[in-house]
Amino acid sequence: MQGIPPLYRNASLDNFKLPTDNPTANRGLANVLLGVKSFAREFPSEKKPGLLLIGEPGTGKTHLAVAALRILDLARL
């Protein structure tokens, strides 16, 4: 896939790492991961027309966005 930053070329939902040192962050990101999986599985959907990831730097937004994009790109092949 062109335009993907080199650091994220292998990003997938399967290799997204939840933090183990912060239970609150772990639960929160686990919910986000489920939401991204749901979005990718149900796309396109009028009820969920887009995906918005908000958070501090280093929380996994780009990884999850690229992973979702990869699923959606593969689905259209």
Side-chain angles (χ1 to χ4, degrees):
M1 297 177 85
Q2 290 183 323
I4 302 294
L7 182 61
Y8 300 100
R9 290 233 167 92
N10 296 315
S12 74
L13 296 178
D14 292 331
N15 66 17
F16 182 73
K17 301 288 187 220
L18 295 171
T20 57
D21 61 340
N22 183 331
T24 303
N26 182 290
R27 281 190 302 277
L29 283 171
N31 285 331
V32 171
L33 180 59
L34 288 174
V36 172
K37 285 180 179 180
S38 172
F39 175 81
R41 182 178 57 248
E42 297 169 12
F43 186 84
S45 168
E46 288 185 24
K47 292 175 78 176
K48 295 180 184 178
L51 184 64
L52 177 64
L53 302 172
I54 301 171
E56 297 292 323
T59 55
K61 298 177 302 293
T62 302
H63 184 112
L64 291 172
V66 169
L69 176 65
R70 180 169 281 116
I71 290 169
L72 298 177
D73 190 53
L74 290 175
R76 82 185 169 135
L77 295 177

